[in-house]
Amino acid sequence: MKNRILVTGAGGFIGHHLVKRLKAEGNWVRGADIKLPEYEPSAADEFERLDLRNYENCLLATRGGIDQVYNLAADMGGIGYITAYLADISRNNILINVHMLEASRQSAVSRFLFSSSACVYAQAKQKSADVTPLTEEDAYPADPEPGYGWEKLFAEELCRYYRHDHKLSTRSVRFHNVYGPLGTYDGGREKAPAAISRKVALARNGGEIEIWGDGAQTRSFMFIDDCVEGLLRLMASDYHDPLNLGTDRLVTINELVDLVCAVASKTLIKRHDLSKPQGVRGRNSDNTRLNKVLGWAPSISLEQGLAVTYKWIEDELRKAGRVLVQAARPLPESERANAAGQD
Ligand code: NAD
């Protein structure tokens, strides 16, 4: 039998893709978000614009016999954003999570999935670019990313308390850098793959682009289709403890730039800005438990995922008149000096 499902954050990147997939599988879906999806209409049966920091709005979102809640609503962004707004992000997300959990209990929801983050992991364990992949235990002793990481870690705990005290069946997923089309690529909240794709798309071939930090910091990246597949599998499982959901292919940001340049058929010079935030030095996902619990792990390669993502961002920029159609050839030396061309 198909489910009645609420997706919060359905106007955002992961929530929008998740709604599409849940609908394609025949579920009845309500989306809730403070804003509509930016790039295409939602596939949800109902979409309600609600500020979920407000408890009454959480009750509205969960009304009418909802079986499952995917709680993806959050005030979030890339490293520049989450290091700049510690108080606001913490307050907004604490309110959303506390109220969504309580409203789900009041509305007798059967399963509640909380979207946590790899930002919960102890910073001291991420000081080397050649980082040891993080197992779920590495979140303790607690030393997470200030603000965003602390509130995610506390909300994981709160899920555990609601399970213990109120028998609400919860799941907590720790995403590691999700990317793909239909995600924010501009404006300050975008994350590295989208920001780099935008910069490469806007740069003239042979020109230069700005990279935050020295580019030797490392991460792993997961394509959105793998992320959605993992979410469905986790919700269907009976696993309650926090679980990594990411790939375990570690790349430097410089390598990520090279991959995007290869997709774009461009040769660009990297200009490193050491004054910009770069987050922890290295972060990778240990997928041992993911494999064991779900019998599955993400498999879409970075090359495949970036090809789709870059093309979508380049098309968006072209539609907005920000990128010109240009031949994929290196510029002659004489033209390079004028080739900065990025925003
Ligand atoms: P997103 O910013 O695209 O989506 C989040 C959505 O939440 C937005 O549409 C936003 O409008 C909505 N929202 C914010 N405040 C709200 C409020 N007060 N009421 C109602 N809606 C509100 O982000 P995303 O990438 O889709 O992330 C989804 C979830 O996954 C978030 O909880 C995020 O913290 C988590 N996460 C994402 C990543 C990633 O790489 N994308 C990594 C780790 C964790």
Side-chain angles (χ1 to χ4, degrees):
M1 207 164 77
K2 297 299 177 181
N3 290 301
R4 289 174 61 82
I5 299 176
L6 168 67
V7 177
T8 76
F13 169 49
I14 300 175
H16 180 72
H17 283 275
L18 177 63
V19 167
K20 271 209 247 187
R21 173 75 188 272
L22 291 169
K23 277 305 299 168
E25 305 222 334
N27 297 289
W28 184 91
V29 182
R30 177 183 294 146
D33 199 299
I34 205 165
K35 69 169 176 67
L36 292 171
E38 261 170 75
Y39 308 108
E40 62 180 26
S42 176
D45 295 280
E46 285 180 2
F47 191 101
E48 303 197 337
R49 285 186 70 174
L50 296 168
D51 183 342
L52 298 172
R53 289 172 296 187
N54 176 303
Y55 179 59
E56 298 303 320
N57 286 342
C58 295
L59 282 177
L60 274 177
T62 53
R63 77 187 185 283
I66 293 290
D67 304 308
Q68 300 180 353
V69 172
Y70 288 86
N71 189 33
L72 303 180
D75 183 4
M76 67 93 72
I79 190 68
Y81 184 79
I82 65 169
T83 52
Y85 305 107
L86 301 178
D88 288 353
I89 288 175
S90 301
R91 175 176 182 275
N92 291 337
N93 293 343
I94 287 167
L95 289 173
I96 292 171
N97 295 325
V98 164
H99 289 152
M100 276 305 303
L101 268 166
E102 178 59 16
S104 297
R105 174 175 89 93
Q106 289 292 345
S107 303
V109 164
S110 307
R111 293 182 179 205
F112 180 98
L113 183 142
F114 169 61
S115 51
S116 187
S117 163
C119 288
V120 301
Y121 284 115
Q123 294 174 93
K125 294 175 181 165
Q126 304 172 77
K127 289 197 180 302
S128 157
D130 185 24
V131 62
T132 305
L134 296 154
T135 69
E136 283 74 3
E137 284 69 29
D138 286 322
Y140 293 97
D143 171 28
E145 183 77 34
Y148 181 72
W150 272 108
E151 53 88 3
K152 290 286 190 196
L153 195 60
F154 176 70
E156 287 183 0
E157 277 297 286
L158 201 58
C159 287
R160 201 163 68 77
Y161 305 153
Y162 266 75
R163 200 168 66 244
H164 179 268
D165 295 4
H166 301 306
K167 311 294 175 253
L168 177 60
S169 181
T170 62
R171 285 118 183 83
S172 292
V173 61
R174 291 179 183 159
F175 293 132
H176 290 248
N177 297 306
V178 188
Y179 71 98
L182 305 173
T184 304
Y185 60 86
D186 209 350
R189 286 181 187 248
E190 65 279 15
K191 307 184 96 182
I196 290 168
S197 294
R198 184 198 72 231
K199 290 179 184 182
V200 169
L202 292 176
R204 291 180 58 194
N205 196 12
E208 64 172 36
I209 62 167
E210 179 196 272
I211 311 293
W212 286 14
D214 65 0
Q217 66 271 33
T218 52
R219 295 291 185 278
S220 68
F221 298 93
M222 170 173 57
F223 189 61
I224 182 67
D225 292 1
D226 272 335
C227 172
V228 169
E229 178 68 29
L231 281 173
L232 264 60
R233 284 176 180 257
L234 179 58
M235 186 63 112
S237 79
D238 56 5
Y239 192 75
H240 300 297
D241 292 327
L243 189 67
N244 279 334
L245 183 53
T247 73
D248 55 7
R249 175 176 169 193
L250 194 67
V251 294
T252 65
I253 295 300
N254 285 332
E255 285 165 348
L256 186 67
V257 174
D258 291 342
L259 287 171
V260 176
C261 284
V263 170
S265 303
K266 287 185 183 180
T267 305
L268 298 174
I269 298 157
K270 303 181 189 81
R271 179 165 44 79
H272 294 106
D273 185 343
L274 303 182
S275 71
K276 292 284 177 20
Q278 55 165 286
V280 293
R281 189 65 176 156
R283 175 179 291 153
N284 197 3
S285 176
D286 182 311
N287 284 348
T288 310
R289 188 159 306 154
L290 179 72
N291 270 302
K292 197 168 160 207
V293 169
L294 301 186
W296 169 91
S299 61
I300 299 169
S301 74
L302 199 46
E303 285 78 1
Q304 287 172 292
L306 285 175
V308 180
T309 308
Y310 177 79
K311 183 175 180 326
W312 179 78
I313 291 176
E314 196 192 49
D315 284 350
E316 286 294 301
L317 291 167
R318 190 171 288 124
K319 275 191 254 165
R322 293 175 64 191
V323 67
L324 303 172
V325 183
Q326 51 184 281
R329 60 169 180 84
L331 285 183
E333 199 60 44
S334 56
E335 288 179 41
R336 282 197 177 190
N338 301 321
Q342 59 169 324
D343 62 350

